[in-house]
Each structure stands twice: as structure tokens, then as C-alpha cells.
Amino acid sequence: MTVAPRLQPRFARVDEAAAAAAGFDLRKLPADYYANPYPYYHALRDSGPLHRLPDGGYFLAGYAACVAVYKDARAFSSDKKREFAPKYGDGLLFEHHTTSLVFNDPPLHARVRRIIAGAFTPRSISDMERPVTELVDGLLDRIEAKGSADLIADLAAAVPIEVIGNLLAVPHEEREPLRGWSLAILGALEPVLTAEQQERGERAVEDFVAYLKTLVARRRAKPGDPERDVLTRLIGGEEGGERLSERELLHNIIFILNAGHETTTNLVGNGLHALLEWPEEKARLLSQPGLIRRAVEEFLRFESPNQLGNRLTVAPVEVEGVAVAAATYLTIGIGAANRDPAEFHDPDRLDITREPNRHLAFGSGPHVCIGLNVARLEGRIAIGRFLARFPEYRLAGKPVRSGRARFRGFLSVPVALA
Ligand code: HEM
């Protein structure tokens, strides 16, 4: 199978689309949504910039509405204590998710962000170029020796774990459980949580915290280079300013480890899969490898690794002409905004030279992704080098999607190399 079938971006009939929008409920998503949410996104957007959900919240499917909410952190809070208390009870998942910077407003958000951001300088990122290239080339050697590959296990999932492990200087031999913990903790963010998912998430936070306590104690005894080692920075706190409490420290380390895993895996897996759906774009990239940076932006837009964001209104507010009451939950449809024809010409087409491409894959505003340039570098090197080495790769079996609403990606994409 050299060409993967493309997803149908819209419902075939207008009445079908209207019914899908009218019945849309994030807590009861239809089975076909997980494989292909795009017809739902278009139907929701066509029904208005804000779509009322049965639980009283809104789903934002329009680009302008999503940007407006992202940019105004005063009106739209990221603090999730109110939402997560009934969801998680008062266990470790609650403690973790409500202590990480992404789910907080100032002052905690600003304090943690300043400390972390200092470690993501252009220099520290360009220093990653060589080790990431060597890592990817080693993975490609192994793939070549095997003669076939699972794009996820053999490449897409293997890169971020090493990159973030390096960023926090986690010893190589201790990295193995990180991915499992990370998937279990982020899995608990799905709109609906099973008892089993919750239990797995709780156990993962417990094991992760226990491991990090030993890692932090070792790093305290023997600090690394604060210009490069994010963990040493987090332990040291702000220069001349405040330090993080032990609890803030541990949960924010977990968040950084988690934030860059599944998302980056999905970028690489989704990108290489999208090229199989769009062979003419694959041919273009092969003949002009210099287009890889723009191609990565387009993969981020076209199949956004993180599809949903959330905010809570702090006071009555108007969004795109709609009056929204205080304490209303908003779901930011990142994947939907990135297919909005008002912002992107012919949005359901993969165009690796798209310009401009102001996608929202990394969010926007004060919480915009801190690791965006790390992710771009990983995506560029992993996708670019795989393609150059195995230009004839093709599907060797049915790809398996991860079947989640928030994080869009594959569990496995089996390919033959020639
Ligand atoms: C393709 C890969 C990635 C995607 C699609 C992605 C996406 C996002 C998005 C959408 C947000 C905003 C959340 C919000 O506003 O509610 C975010 C925040 C964040 N991301 Fe990423 N991310 C990726 C990779 C990474 C990597 C590699 C790291 C770290 C090494 C990272 C660290 C963070 C951190 C620390 C935040 C929180 C920022 C804040 O709250 O101020 N991300 N990311």
C-alpha cells in the first residue's frame, strides 16, 4: 500500500452535519470522531463560532475565537482546581494537575514559567542539533537492519524520551519507565475517565514522584550546568528570587517530562503518515529537502498533536459577539481552529509550502508552549532524516490510532522501507 487513504474532511450531507453539531457532546463522543474529528469540527464551526455543549460549556471551533481566548489570560483562567476536584477527588492526580504551571494562573504560573523558560535559550536548543541527529541516525540504522519499521515504536516515541531525558539529565538507564508514567498521567486528562484510567494515573504519579525524589536529591548533591540542565534550574529557583516548594518542584518536573512526550511522538508519527496520504507533497519534500521546516509547521497545523485546550471564564465576558457567563468552561478546539477556512486557504489540503501558517498547535498567549522549538527541531530531524533515508517507505499494515480526543496520534504505523 503506497498511498494511505485520506480522511473525508466533511460530512457528505448538510443535514448530517447539522445533526452532528446539534448532538455534539464531548462526554459522549461518537466512535468515528476519534478516527476523524474534522467533519465534526467543520459542522460545529458552521453552526457558529461558539457551540453550546450539554454541560453548559462551549466548544470553540473558529480560529478567531480560539485566539481571542488564548490571548486574554485575565478573562480566561487556566486554573483547573474547580474542574478537577469532582473529576479526580483529592488524590495524587488532582495534586499533580493542579500544581503544574499549565493549569495555573499567576503567580505560580509566572514564577515557574520564568524559571523553566531560561533553560530554553536559542543556544541550548541549537546545542541539541547534533545529539538529536546522532540519536535519529542510530534509530534509522536499527530500522534499516530490521528491514521494516513501526514508525511509532521505532522512531516517533523513541526520540522525545531521549531528548527530554537529556534536558533534565535523567541517567539513560533510568529512562525506561518514563514513557509509561507519562501516558498514564496525560491519559487521565481525557474528557471522560474510566476507573481503570484513573487508577493507572494515580499509580503513575505516585511512582513518578518517588523516583523524582531520589533524582532531585542526587542533583542537589551534585548540581548540573543551569544553562542547560532544566532540573538544576528548577531546584535553584529564580536568581535572587523565590524557589519552588518541594511539591511544586516535583509536579512541574513531571509536567515537563510529560509535555514533550506524546505531543512530539504524535508530530513525527502524524507527519510521516500524512505524507503517505499526500504522495505529491512527499515527492515535493523529497525533491526540495530545504522545505522541511515549513513542512513541519504544516504537519502541526494539519494533524495537530494536541487537539483540545481548556479555559474557565472568571467574569461575564463576550467572545465573538456571544455573551458568556462567569465560571463557564470553554474547550479550545485547536484542531478545529487549524482547519478554519477563514484563516487557512483550502484548510483540508496538506500544503508543505503554506504561507502564512499561523497555526495554534502550540497554543498562543502567556501559556504558549515553552518547548515549541525543541519539538520543531525533533520533528525536522526525525521526519527529514527518515524521509531522506527511506524515500520509498509505504504502509505495511493498518495503522492503529491512539483513539483519544485530546492527543491525536497513532499507537502504531507499520511500514515497509522499499
Ligand atoms: C509537537 C509537540 C508539542 C505540542 C503540539 C505542544 C503543545 C502545547 C500546547 C498547546 C500548550 C499550551 C497549553 C495551554 O495554553 O493550555 C503547551 C504548553 C507547554 N508545553 Fe508544549 N507542546 C509540544 C512539545 C513540548 C515540549 C518538547 C516541551 C518541553 C520540552 C513542552 C513543554 C511545554 C510547557 C512547559 C508548557 C506549559 C507552558 C505554560 O503553561 O506556560 N512542550 N504545549
Side-chain angles (χ1 to χ4, degrees):
M1 211 192 308
T2 43
V3 178
R6 285 181 200 163
L7 297 175
Q8 199 55 253
R10 285 182 178 269
F11 287 109
R13 296 195 327 265
V14 177
D15 59 338
E16 209 184 337
F24 189 78
D25 183 352
L26 273 173
R27 290 168 198 274
K28 287 190 205 127
L29 289 167
D32 60 351
Y33 172 94
Y34 292 94
N36 182 11
Y38 301 108
Y40 291 91
Y41 291 159
H42 284 308
L44 289 166
R45 192 183 322 101
D46 291 347
S47 74
L50 270 69
H51 183 87
R52 195 88 205 232
L53 293 167
D55 67 1
Y58 285 94
F59 186 94
L60 279 57
Y63 182 88
C66 292
V67 171
V69 169
Y70 266 138
K71 296 271 188 214
D72 190 348
R74 276 175 204 268
F76 306 103
S77 166
S78 288
D79 191 313
K80 299 288 187 288
K81 289 178 198 72
R82 194 175 165 147
E83 181 182 347
F84 287 167
K87 181 168 182 168
Y88 298 129
D90 63 357
L92 284 169
L93 274 171
F94 179 77
E95 179 176 304
H96 168 66
H97 284 308
T98 56
T99 311
S100 71
L101 80 158
V102 74
F103 295 144
N104 271 281
D105 296 326
L108 178 65
H109 170 254
R111 195 151 51 92
V112 179
R113 185 164 175 117
R114 270 197 303 273
I115 299 172
I116 300 177
F120 288 78
T121 58
R123 202 186 80 191
S124 67
I125 290 165
S126 73
D127 282 353
M128 291 180 191
E129 183 91 24
R130 217 183 67 190
V132 174
T133 305
E134 285 168 4
L135 164 69
V136 166
D137 285 352
L139 294 170
L140 299 182
D141 288 344
R142 271 199 259 163
I143 288 175
E144 185 162 11
K146 252 194 351 179
S148 65
D150 176 351
L151 290 179
I152 307 305
D154 296 332
L155 181 67
V159 175
I161 190 102
E162 291 302 311
V163 169
I164 301 178
N166 289 348
L167 207 63
L168 290 155
V170 176
H172 280 275
E173 62 282 7
E174 294 171 14
R175 292 181 188 181
E176 203 270 324
L178 299 181
R179 183 168 159 75
W181 288 334
S182 165
L183 295 183
I185 294 169
L186 291 183
L189 291 175
E190 280 296 279
V192 182
L193 195 62
T194 64
E196 202 237 327
Q197 272 172 323
Q198 171 145 11
E199 202 211 300
R200 231 182 311 140
E202 292 284 338
R203 221 174 325 120
V205 182
E206 190 179 341
D207 293 347
F208 215 151
V209 165
Y211 167 69
L212 286 179
K213 281 185 176 164
T214 68
L215 185 72
V216 168
R218 281 183 272 154
R219 198 64 49 84
R220 279 207 168 104
K222 204 169 159 225
D225 172 3
E227 290 302 312
R228 288 185 172 76
D229 172 10
V230 179
L231 182 51
T232 299
R233 278 193 93 84
L234 284 166
I235 292 171
E238 284 176 81
E239 231 165 86
E242 250 180 297
R243 287 180 183 226
L244 299 179
S245 70
E246 184 78 2
R247 175 172 155 163
E248 290 166 352
L249 175 67
L250 296 172
H251 288 300
N252 281 288
I253 299 167
I254 294 182
F255 178 71
I256 296 171
L257 277 157
N258 289 346
H261 265 174
E262 197 173 354
T263 45
T264 316
T265 298
N266 292 353
L267 163 62
V268 174
N270 292 352
L272 284 169
H273 182 266
L275 288 174
L276 291 173
E277 294 175 312
W278 297 81
E280 59 282 26
E281 293 302 287
K282 177 168 169 259
R284 221 150 55 115
L285 190 51
L286 274 167
S287 67
Q288 297 176 71
L291 291 176
I292 186 69
R293 282 176 199 268
R294 283 164 76 182
V296 166
E297 297 310 307
E298 180 65 346
F299 301 141
L300 285 161
R301 180 196 73 84
F302 188 72
E303 287 279 25
S304 304
N306 185 351
Q307 294 269 312
L308 306 175
N310 297 89
R311 293 295 188 267
L312 180 66
T313 57
V314 295
V317 64
E318 201 171 285
V319 183
E320 292 289 290
V322 178
V324 179
T328 303
Y329 292 111
L330 305 179
T331 299
I332 301 174
I334 298 174
N338 284 342
R339 297 283 188 115
D340 185 346
E343 172 66 20
F344 302 101
H345 172 71
D346 203 358
D348 298 310
R349 175 174 149 48
L350 182 82
D351 173 4
I352 61 163
T353 56
R354 186 177 291 278
E355 193 81 50
N357 192 350
R358 291 182 287 251
H359 63 74
L360 298 181
F362 292 121
S364 183
H367 282 272
V368 70
C369 179
I370 293 183
L372 79 186
N373 286 325
V374 179
R376 286 174 165 140
L377 175 131
E378 293 176 69
R380 169 168 59 79
I381 296 175
I383 297 172
R385 292 186 88 80
F386 180 88
L387 189 63
R389 186 105 161 238
F390 307 114
E392 304 295 324
Y393 76 103
R394 60 179 200 278
L395 282 184
K398 203 168 156 35
V400 181
R401 289 195 179 271
S402 54
R404 295 166 53 185
R406 188 171 296 277
F407 295 100
R408 180 159 175 79
F410 293 94
L411 291 177
S412 123
V413 182
V415 295
L417 304 177

